[in-house]
Amino acid sequence: MDEIFVDTTAGRICGRTERGVCSFKGVPYGASTGGKNRFLPPKPVAPWPGIRYAGGFGPICPQSGTLVDESQPYAVTKAEGHTLLLPQSENCLVLNVWTPGLEEGSKRPVMVWLHGRGFAAGAGSETQYNGANLAKNGDVVVITINHRLNVFGYLHLTDLAGEAFSGSGIAGMLDAVLALQWVRDNIERFGGDANRVTIFGESGGGCKVASLLAMPSAKGLFHRAVIQSGSMGTRSTEAKDATEIADRILKDLGIQTNEMDKLQQVPAQQLLDVANRVTFRMGRTMALAPAVDGHYLPCHPFDPVAAPAAADVPLIVGSNLDEAATFLTRDPRRRKLTEDELKERLAVMIGEGAEKVLRVYQKTRPKATPWDLLIALRSENERRSAIRLAERKAAGGPAPVYMYLFTYQSDFLGGLFKAGHGIEIPFVFDITDDVPMVGSRPEKYDVAKAMSRAWAAFAKTADPSHPGIPRWEPYTVNQRATMIFDAPSELRMDPFREELDAWEGIPIRDSAP
């Protein structure tokens, strides 16, 4: 193991080499968020004496789900790559850095990843987010971060407990702002350029990118943005709805609004369990998300228009052709669905207009089975949302927006995941050999090269075009230029228009992520 030392503003750290680049993991950027710091805006980490080892990932925010369920690692690893069961802690404000080198003045673009799994779970340490190959092959500095999640990051107490808890409903995103401030102050020591910072994320991570685009406190800390399958982040949670959730959680715990010190002392697991139980009873299991508080988040990111803070930030936005395939892998009727069963489901899902939409897709996809058609129609909410977001971004300011659609079909488990939700992540990070669900088709390497180089080019110049793909033109409402990532990739104008037109008059299902 080669030891590598860097002096940060908080103290000296020791990293190591990994896949031909320098890596530093579990680097603290903020103080513990537990105890009297719970629900409050984050504080910078206190300086430490001596040398801090940065060769392993740090703790993750307390959460439920696959990253902490000891019964799940085999199943998750089989699809997503090796699953690390890391300690959970409210002292979780850490980040990870991969850089090709530490040469002074090298000024490489910086790419900061916001992880997915909604606003409830996840971590920057997941295998599919390993930044070594992207850093090496794209000549960029890659950073992933941990931040507060679920009740710890998004319990909106301001309207119940007063200004002392201002920011509690968006604390997780304030953590991300603090991480970006760390990047501004330290990244030159890692060979990066603080004036060329790109934030990017998928699903919940894409929604986090959208939130940061709307936050005045984040303005100037990043210069480009990428939203991957996260277009439901056009809207955040209304303050009144967030207040209702917080009120019910307090009542379940038997805590009055003038007893916030007691709430800060509730054991983390108990608080998480209560929040999960309350939101489940309310039928709003994903509602702990950034609250539009009028201050830290003055407005919805892209509703009814693009937030003013996003106007001068170039953006890539897109989705995957078969988003729903990932969520339907455990459906007991997978691949066995009949046409009558399909119609029954569509009547519930779409309501009036279901038969009209189905007829169009049966025409445009004549070889599709009822199962294929269910996936296609269940996937369109994300694609339509991405288009709406792109159009609002294009109308909202001078910076360009670029649209993509990922259509590459994985052959994993006989094609079960298709071009499903999350499949594009290993292609962006250029680690398709580490993540089994991308499949084994040899073309995957070409698609990974095309996609990861496009993201790196965007980080460098704000233009994702590079010699390995056709010229990627900005999206406009007149041409609707869309990069199709597949084998091979191609730029198409207004793809799948007949299918999209079939949805006219059927609203996009807006909800908090």
Side-chain angles (χ1 to χ4, degrees):
M1 180 183 72
D2 295 327
E3 294 181 333
I4 309 159
F5 298 92
V6 173
D7 291 310
T8 74
T9 51
R12 194 165 221 211
I13 59 175
C14 174
R16 54 181 295 183
T17 57
E18 177 185 358
R19 301 189 183 191
V21 301
C22 308
S23 71
F24 303 84
K25 298 175 180 177
V27 180
Y29 68 86
S32 173
T33 62
K36 291 186 178 300
N37 289 337
R38 184 184 278 176
F39 309 125
L40 301 183
K43 300 176 181 179
V45 64
W48 56 79
I51 300 172
R52 186 182 184 101
Y53 181 60
F57 292 114
I60 66 176
C61 181
Q63 59 189 268
S64 305
T66 56
L67 296 189
V68 297
D69 185 346
E70 294 185 358
S71 68
Q72 291 293 319
Y74 173 73
V76 178
T77 294
K78 187 177 179 181
E80 298 179 8
H82 180 62
T83 301
L84 294 171
L85 291 174
L86 293 168
Q88 301 174 72
S89 172
E90 290 183 77
N91 189 12
C92 63
L93 302 189
V94 297
L95 53 79
N96 315 296
V97 184
W98 291 267
T99 177
L102 307 176
E103 305 88 355
E104 185 176 350
S106 50
K107 298 284 187 180
R108 293 181 177 90
V110 182
M111 302 180 69
V112 180
W113 176 256
L114 286 304
H115 67 72
R117 301 187 191 274
F119 289 97
S125 53
E126 296 182 54
T127 292
Q128 56 190 333
Y129 308 149
N130 185 297
N133 287 355
L134 178 57
K136 178 174 62 177
N137 299 327
D139 196 30
V140 295
V141 180
V142 179
I143 296 174
T144 66
I145 71 170
N146 290 357
H147 55 81
R148 280 175 283 182
L149 301 165
N150 51 70
V151 68
F152 304 98
Y154 305 103
L155 187 66
H156 181 63
L157 298 167
T158 312
D159 296 327
L160 296 174
E163 288 302 311
F165 286 88
S166 176
S168 55
I170 194 168
M173 297 314 307
L174 295 179
D175 296 343
V177 172
L178 183 63
L180 290 169
Q181 292 171 343
W182 184 96
V183 170
R184 177 195 63 198
D185 297 339
N186 289 279
I187 205 61
E188 186 174 351
R189 298 178 175 93
F190 295 85
D193 184 354
N195 294 311
R196 284 193 296 171
V197 176
T198 297
I199 56 172
F200 67 133
E202 183 270 346
S203 192
C207 296
K208 293 167 193 173
V209 170
S211 295
L212 287 169
L213 281 165
M215 293 174 65
S217 60
K219 191 169 178 61
L221 295 174
F222 62 91
H223 314 92
R224 346 224 192 272
V226 184
I227 297 174
Q228 302 169 209
S229 300
S231 300
M232 292 308 291
T234 53
R235 290 183 58 82
S236 293
T237 300
E238 294 284 1
K240 61 179 180 61
D241 296 326
T243 298
E244 181 187 2
I245 294 170
D247 184 56
R248 294 200 185 188
I249 289 173
L250 289 176
K251 287 177 178 175
D252 200 284
L253 288 165
I255 294 175
Q256 303 298 314
T257 56
N258 62 349
E259 298 177 320
M260 289 300 100
D261 57 327
K262 290 185 179 180
L263 185 62
Q264 291 175 318
Q265 296 168 19
V266 174
Q269 189 61 52
Q270 180 185 354
L271 181 60
L272 180 63
D273 291 343
V274 168
N276 288 343
R277 182 167 64 245
V278 167
T279 54
F280 179 79
R281 284 201 304 253
M282 296 175 70
R284 301 174 62 187
T285 55
M286 299 292 283
L288 284 166
V292 180
D293 62 1
H295 177 60
Y296 290 110
L297 188 60
C299 60
H300 293 289
F302 289 94
D303 188 77
V305 296
D312 59 355
V313 179
L315 175 68
I316 293 175
V317 61
S319 62
N320 297 353
L321 182 65
D322 307 304
E323 293 277 350
T326 301
F327 304 114
L328 291 170
T329 53
R330 296 185 179 182
D331 191 302
R333 295 299 296 161
R334 65 180 182 273
R335 297 172 172 167
K336 298 178 289 187
L337 196 73
T338 66
E339 185 167 336
D340 286 342
E341 290 171 329
L342 171 62
K343 290 179 178 179
E344 290 175 5
R345 294 201 191 190
L346 295 183
V348 174
M349 185 182 92
I350 300 175
E352 188 177 352
E355 289 190 15
K356 177 192 73 171
V357 174
L358 178 58
R359 283 197 301 270
V360 170
Y361 280 71
Q362 287 173 327
K363 173 188 171 186
T364 57
R365 309 187 191 200
K367 296 182 180 180
T369 66
W371 181 248
D372 294 329
L373 290 169
L374 176 66
I375 289 172
L377 294 165
R378 281 276 299 268
S379 299
E380 292 300 61
N381 207 55
E382 180 59 46
R383 179 159 59 135
R384 295 167 70 207
S385 296
I387 291 170
R388 180 180 61 178
L389 191 155
E391 291 179 348
R392 290 176 178 175
K393 176 69 173 76
V401 56
Y402 298 88
M403 171 68 74
Y404 76 87
L405 182 65
F406 183 86
T407 63
Y408 178 83
Q409 299 287 304
S410 166
D411 61 352
F412 180 63
L413 296 181
L416 183 63
F417 283 78
K418 298 166 73 73
H421 188 72
I423 287 279
E424 89 289 354
I425 298 171
F427 292 85
V428 168
F429 280 87
D430 201 5
I431 53 168
T432 53
D433 281 341
D434 294 3
V435 182
M437 68 179 178
V438 306
S440 58
R441 292 174 55 198
E443 298 92 340
K444 68 180 183 179
Y445 302 112
D446 292 333
V447 180
K449 185 175 181 180
M451 204 166 193
S452 62
R453 300 303 188 278
W455 266 231
F458 184 67
K460 292 172 185 174
T461 67
D463 182 342
S465 299
H466 64 89
I469 60 174
R471 171 69 185 170
W472 193 344
E473 298 179 18
Y475 184 92
T476 65
V477 293
N478 294 324
Q479 288 192 310
R480 299 189 174 102
T482 304
M483 184 61 67
I484 307 296
F485 281 107
D486 209 324
S489 297
E490 61 174 320
L491 186 74
R492 292 173 59 183
M493 302 299 169
D494 201 11
F496 300 98
R497 174 46 50 188
E498 186 176 1
E499 293 181 356
L500 293 170
D501 284 345
W503 293 88
E504 185 176 356
I506 300 173
I508 297 172
R509 300 185 303 279
D510 276 317
S511 63

